[in-house]
Amino acid sequence: MEDIDRITTKKARNNEALLKVKDISLSFIQYTSGLRQTELKVISNLNLEAYSGEILAVVGSSGSGKSLLAHAILGILPSNARLYGSMEYNGQPLTQEKKEEIRGKEIALIPQSTNYLDPLMRISNQVIGNVNEKNKESIKKLQRYVFQKYNLKPEVDRMFPHELSGGMIRRVLVSTAVISSARLVIADEPTPGLDEKNLKETLSYFKDMANKGCAVILITHDIDAALKISDRIAIFYAGTILEEANIEDFANDGENLRHPYTRALWNALPQNKFKAIKGHQPMQDEIIEGCFFYERCSIKNELCSKGIPELKTINGGLVRCNNVS
Amino acid sequence: MSTAVLTINKGLSGGLNLRQKTILLISFMSLLLLTIVICSLFINERSLSTDFDSKNLAPSLKHPFGTDWMGRDMFIRTIEGLGLSIMIGAFASLISTLISVILGLFSSVGKIADSFVSWLVDLFLSIPHLLLIILISIGFGGGATGVIIGVALTHWPSLTRVVRAEIKQLKTQEYVHISRNFGKSRWWIATKHILPHLIPKFILGTILMFPHAILHEASITFLGFGLSPHEPAIGIILSESMKYLSAGYWWLAFFPGLSLLIVILAFDMIGENLGKLMNPKKAHD
Amino acid sequence: MKQRKLGYFIGKKILKLLCLLIVVCIASFWIVEQSPIDPVRAYIGEMSIQPEQKAKLEEYWGVNTPSHEKFMNWAGNILKGDFGISLIYRMPVTDVMKERFTASIILMASSWLMSGILGFILGIIAGMKNGTLVDKVIKTYCYILIAAPTFWLALIMLLVFSVYLGWFPIGLGIPIGTVADDVTFLDRIHHLILPTITLSLLGVASIAMFTREKLIEVMSSDYILFAKARGERGLGLIMRHGIRNVALPAITLQFLGFSELFGGAVLVEQVFSYPGIGQAAVAAGLRSDVPLLLGIVIVSTIFVFFGNLVADIIYEFIDPRIKQQEMTT
Amino acid sequence: MYLKGENISFGYKKNNFILKNVNICLGSGEVLGLIGDSGSGKSTLCKILAGYEKNYTGTVSIDGKKIPDGVYNPVQLIFQHPEKAVNPKWKMKDILNESYVVPQKILDSFGIKKNWLNRWPNELSGGELQRFALARALSPKTKFLIADEITTMVDAITQVQIWDSILDMVDELNIGVLVVSHDKKLINKLCHDIVYMSDLINI
């Protein structure tokens, strides 16, 4: 596996997690045709921990509800969403009120596309955000400085979002997080549509943030990109996280991976065996009693069809499986 | 693995859910309109007879809407007027829908046809609507026919515009291109791929056209065009009432107008709620 | 660069207007020509008249000339700025229209402005408080107003404020019995208030509903989500991102409403006996004053076109997003 | 059989070409990889080869013959976003059988389950819809398949499943496949030959 400066980033983790997501579930009340009301479960029993100075990648297929995890942490879910479970930030319970108080200051989101910029507002005004007149000058200077660093020319300040190229948009979005000086950065699919050069560059921004002591959550469907820069990878499957593995566990054939799904995913990559297992991810409206991977699992037993497996810590990583030790 | 959709049933404690409320509202409103039309058909000459002993009476139990200067019961006159308005509205909406179906489909034939339709829509929208109806009804010799034709011939442009835009958008869809690549004919694509998207638009468009047509018919009649003073149209009742305003006979204007408002509101409600049933994404508030 | 583009754009639009006017002239002339209206009958009215006078009049109105010749004469005169003589007012159509249109413009402009501002504010409030009691009240008000027949609302206003309360005169743009020159400015205002309010009330509904829906749509957009994620909230969020994105479409809609505005003015003027262009149009229609009716059709077409033109300019030149679409197509 | 694109040029504006004098050739039974970054014009080239885009210069031909309009096109294109390639008002079974009655063998090969057939498109995931899009395009009349980033939006396991099925079917039907992607590793695994978009463009 090609490796970039992994050694420099590996730090001893003696501190507490900055963000703890404990057993959250998320569902939507929605109307289908003819106004039948249904509840759709998108996330269930999901656990997650993010540490300062580390990049945690959440990897899962597109459209599986990963973005909603980010929105749940920030407290910006739509009104028809129901969120269960609890979160902790810096040792304190992270309630909706707390989220509203600290988002933009302590927690920053890096969204995925141009749609997340106000189409009628000039770039610098958006990046600076809603600040009072007193601080405006200094933040303006900071913004210019960050833009300079990301190679965004002064004329970009006065442009509208649609006048920027995809790569420039990406840099603008990243710079919003840098300016906010947040301690927790959540990047939602920051890589699709980027060519190799831009991809490397974008990934290096996240590396920088982590090196400065931020906790970075990188939500992506690109396991390749995740492997390049993250410290840990959480595998998102059917609305939950089946395993949180350290990057080293992916070495060789992935023998050290804990969950059979993670191993199957690893084996399916084109650079590895390019071998698939049978079956499909369960659909969102399917009700599953046991382990979400039960149908496709090769090491299942009777217990697995009854109730969701307990979360276990094995070999420095987390896993939801009855049959590993 | 069991496949199921969780249907939330709030049960008795939560009252009716939105779907039930919507359907109930639509049924109630439709029933109301239907009753008015049927009643208006059964009102005969006798019940509208003049009775000079009881002229200009304020509303009472016997005459809920009062009586006019000829002693006619305003409630019965109003019902009959409303029935007439709804029927004219129905006729005008159907004609206008028909025109927009034809023009919409015609616009999909080719570029020249499309620019012709778009030009025609622009032309009809360039003259103030009320003035256009006046002009057309004069062209057809005025009278009831003139007004009905005027109203029927002028309500298609907005629906045509919607349909044309929808067809245009549908034609750029990947699944339509794919169908073409499968060697399917234009006709096949039009009926199987495009039409299913258009039908709800037409149904909704027709219902939402009703209130406009009715209001325009009433307005034109009020201004003195069209229906003769003997017809019990709402517009005529109201324009007559103007003469008696300073005399303080407020009920002559108030109740008939309010009834017309309720009818219009009923159509708007039906249209809106039907829209919700067809497009549930908008049903969240 | 931008100015040249704007000039080019307006030039193109004026050309379009000319084409439109030609078609409108031909079409409306043809429609009127179709109808069994007798201009001589209309001119004479109830008067008795000598046969030779009648023949003279018939010649003047061209009863026996073929249609196309009549049209060429009429159109030729219009090009010279002569719209003919109004049958009912017995003076040049241009003079009638000038006087009437001025009166109407004052009425329409003031109510257009009032309804625009009030509607926008109500729409923003309803959208902000989406789902609350305030929203429901505003929504109900709008639904009822959209369904209310214009002339009925005018009648009710007249009943309440003029007949019962006696605050405003019952009819006429100027007090009865005074010569136009004697009318004071205050008198005019006095007669303008009630029609203006009535017309504004009606205009409020559509703009308020539109603003409300648009604001709700904007507030559920991704960029609002991101602004929230960055700590913006409450009124500040709506001021910074909401109103910015709602204002342009709302203004555009208000300009696109000139046709409705004109229709409303016709009805309101009729009820309040306000001597504007709408009332003249009704009189011309009822009494078959063809030259005046055709003149008003042409003028109102230009009026509606102007509204659309402003809307187009906003859309093409002020909204910065449009340039992007040009680039990608 | 050979699908040939010769001297293909395309641009939205004059003198601003997205493609200029591109030549490409794909033979029956061949699996050819085309690598290019987003915005490099590869999607446009795909659309031209499959007859979706008509405003280009140059020729597209099969064994020297132009591809006729209005009949089944032997060149079928599969898109990146399958949810746009299905009519949302149709049930899955109607979508599946639009061009021909898909035999059970193909359904099995793509792992299309029976109970999916009675669903609406919005009730299936992208990976599942993509299987339908592929199954319905593999009629006996199809000679060439153009796959434009078709597995970019699915997870790695589904990606392998889909490609395994395609390669099986292609072998059996002797179809030529153009695999278009930005993912070099994937193309290396799948293709006999590889061309780079940057080498084709010639601007």
Side-chain angles (χ1 to χ4, degrees), chain D residues 53-64:
Chain D
E53 179 60 65
K54 310 269 186 208
N55 296 320
Y56 64 95
T57 57
T59 50
V60 176
S61 60
I62 294 177
D63 287 348

Side-chain angles (χ1 to χ4, degrees), chain A residues 11-82:
Chain A
K11 295 180 192 94
R13 188 201 297 153
N14 44 18
N15 50 347
E16 269 287 288
L18 182 64
L19 176 78
K20 281 186 193 165
V21 173
K22 292 180 182 165
D23 230 14
I24 61 163
S25 296
L26 176 67
S27 56
F28 283 95
I29 310 285
Q30 53 177 224
Y31 295 105
T32 55
S33 63
L35 287 189
R36 251 168 269 275
Q37 206 176 30
T38 59
E39 183 167 355
L40 199 64
K41 210 161 190 188
V42 205
I43 291 177
S44 34
N45 303 86
L46 183 145
N47 288 60
L48 189 89
E49 289 184 347
Y51 290 86
S52 297
E54 282 190 8
I55 299 180
L56 168 70
V58 178
V59 177
S61 56
S62 304
S64 59
K66 289 169 299 171
S67 295
L68 292 167
L69 172 63
H71 296 176
I73 294 170
L74 284 151
I76 49 172
L77 290 166
S79 59
N80 60 330
R82 302 277 174 277

Side-chain angles (χ1 to χ4, degrees), chain C residues 38 40-41 44 49-59:
Chain C
D38 179 358
V40 180
R41 196 66 267 142
I44 300 166
I49 191 171
Q50 306 291 323
E52 54 265 35
Q53 261 181 304
K54 191 174 179 220
K56 234 168 120 187
L57 281 170
E58 275 181 354
E59 199 202 321

Side-chain angles (χ1 to χ4, degrees), chain A residues 105-151:
Chain A
K105 300 188 192 91
E106 304 245 330
I107 309 179
L109 173 72
I110 299 175
Q112 39 180 320
S113 68
T114 327
N115 292 350
Y116 286 82
L117 290 175
D118 188 332
L120 295 185
M121 193 181 271
R122 296 187 191 280
I123 294 293
S124 72
N125 289 344
Q126 316 211 27
V127 173
I128 290 169
N130 197 3
V131 289
N132 54 26
E133 285 301 319
K134 207 168 64 205
N135 301 334
K136 206 163 189 170
E137 268 317 297
S138 62
I139 294 187
K140 175 89 193 122
K141 267 195 196 121
L142 176 64
Q143 174 256 325
R144 197 53 255 157
Y145 171 76
V146 175
F147 271 31
Q148 200 68 47
K149 208 177 84 185
Y150 287 155
N151 199 15

Side-chain angles (χ1 to χ4, degrees), chain B residues 131 138 238 242 253-254 257 272, chain C residues 35 37 143 151-152 155 164 300:
Chain B
L131 206 56
I138 287 176
L238 287 174
M242 272 183 73
F254 183 74
E272 178 143 328
Chain C
S35 81
I37 287 171
Y143 273 128
F151 52 95
W152 178 70
L155 280 176
Y164 281 92
S300 65

Side-chain angles (χ1 to χ4, degrees), chain C residues 232-285:
Chain C
E232 293 188 32
R233 61 171 129 174
L235 204 62
L237 178 69
I238 287 169
M239 296 302 253
R240 240 170 90 84
H241 299 286
I243 290 182
R244 179 188 299 265
N245 281 281
V246 172
L248 270 185
I251 294 171
T252 312
L253 181 82
Q254 192 69 346
F255 274 103
L256 287 174
F258 275 24
S259 165
E260 294 267 309
L261 184 67
F262 191 92
V266 170
L267 292 162
V268 167
E269 285 176 9
Q270 189 70 8
V271 173
F272 291 104
S273 307
Y274 185 87
I277 194 105
Q279 203 199 27
V282 173

